[in-house]
Amino acid sequence: AQSVAQPEDQVNVAEGNPLTVKCTYSVSGNPYLFWYVQYPNRGLQFLLKYITGDNLVKGSYGFEAEFNKSQTSFHLKKPSALVSDSALYFCAVRDNGTGRRALTFGSGTRLQVQP
Amino acid sequence: AAGVIQSPRHLIKEKRETATLKCYPIPRHDTVYWYQQGPGQDPQFLISFYEKMQSDKGSIPDRFSAQQFSDYHSELNMSSLELGDSALYFCASSPPDRSGYTFGSGTRLTVV
């Protein structure tokens, strides 16, 4: 079975400071990992993904994430947070070793960036 | 670029009524997924279709059914609606290599 854990319900950071949103996963095969952002009453917007290759993945709006196989983590990072980054962030995984094609989502982390 | 189109955007139904949600995937995407996101919750996988056949089943209630048509659009049919069915329903599609998942803007269903 595939699963995702986002241990923090909320992350608070001051504008201009670096931010990290944590994600760990569990799969039986190789993971496909994704980050999505959701603004209030809106859809899920793709940020970045890890399929294979470089462990450091760069995505939209200055976000990046590092795939760490030994720690089964895929933390989302940004060097300098903006107030407009305040939103709900979801980590998701698909286990490439099983027949399941659907993504499994974490519980989400609300990012609050203070001006 | 074409995106995943869902209709309607908003839907209000009474208890015990039925509802039909529609999803039009990105052209050449062969798999469609349906998710339910309750208030303050993460998206929960309901069901998926690959090449018009059901490919996987998640936590879809027996009152719900879905299908994918020859033009690859999909419909989620919901019957005997309950207050707890009020949620945001997302459709997503993915290409044959399953390297990405594009989500629609969702249908907000309110059951009163």
Side-chain angles (χ1 to χ4, degrees), chain B residues 72-90:
Chain B
Y72 289 90
H73 95 271
S74 179
E75 295 184 3
L76 178 66
N77 300 293
M78 311 160 73
S79 62
S80 303
L81 287 169
E82 303 173 355
L83 295 178
D85 296 328
S86 296
L88 196 52
Y89 290 83
F90 288 112

Side-chain angles (χ1 to χ4, degrees), chain A residues 2-92:
Chain A
Q2 55 194 41
S3 65
V4 178
Q6 292 182 243
E8 303 154 316
D9 289 337
Q10 181 157 324
V11 169
N12 298 308
V13 64
E15 187 174 31
N17 283 359
L19 69 88
T20 299
V21 182
K22 295 180 180 177
C23 170
T24 59
Y25 66 90
S26 174
V27 296
S28 58
N30 292 318
Y32 283 11
L33 292 155
F34 299 80
W35 275 101
Y36 289 85
V37 60
Q38 186 176 32
Y39 293 93
N41 298 311
R42 303 291 293 276
L44 293 164
Q45 187 174 339
F46 171 76
L47 281 179
L48 50 79
K49 66 182 178 183
Y50 171 82
I51 302 296
T52 186
D54 289 341
N55 290 342
L56 184 63
V57 178
K58 293 189 182 295
S60 307
Y61 311 116
F63 284 93
E64 59 187 30
E66 185 165 13
F67 171 63
N68 187 317
K69 188 172 183 178
S70 63
Q71 297 185 5
T72 62
S73 67
F74 190 58
H75 301 330
L76 181 70
K77 299 183 179 186
K78 187 173 182 181
S80 179
L82 300 172
V83 173
S84 58
D85 293 330
S86 299
L88 189 56
Y89 290 79
F90 288 102
C91 181

Side-chain angles (χ1 to χ4, degrees), chain B residues 11 20 25 34 45 60 65 67 71 81 89 96:
Chain B
L11 192 57
T20 297
W34 285 98
F45 171 65
I60 185 169
S65 66
Q67 55 184 326
D71 65 351
L81 287 169
Y89 290 83

Side-chain angles (χ1 to χ4, degrees), chain B residues 12 18 25 38 41 52 54 56 64 71 73 76 78 91-92 102:
Chain B
I12 300 175
T18 62
Q41 297 181 2
K52 293 156 279 184
Q54 181 182 310
D56 204 353
F64 295 4
D71 65 351
H73 95 271
L76 178 66
M78 311 160 73
C91 171
T102 304

Side-chain angles (χ1 to χ4, degrees), chain A residues 32 34 36 38 41-46 49 51 88 90 94 99-108 110, chain B residues 9 31 33 35 37 41-43 45 50 55-58 88 90 97-105 108:
Chain A
Y32 283 11
F34 299 80
Y36 289 85
Q38 186 176 32
N41 298 311
R42 303 291 293 276
L44 293 164
Q45 187 174 339
F46 171 76
K49 66 182 178 183
I51 302 296
L88 189 56
F90 288 102
R94 176 195 157 222
R100 166 153 282 197
R101 294 180 170 89
L103 289 177
T104 296
F105 285 85
S107 54
R110 187 165 301 282
Chain B
R9 292 294 305 273
T31 306
Y33 312 81
Y35 285 83
Q37 185 181 26
Q41 297 181 2
D42 56 290
F45 171 65
Y50 167 67
S55 58
D56 204 353
K57 199 170 182 179
L88 196 52
F90 288 112
D97 64 1
R98 225 70 60 213
S99 61
Y101 298 77
T102 304
F103 284 80
S105 298
R108 181 166 295 283

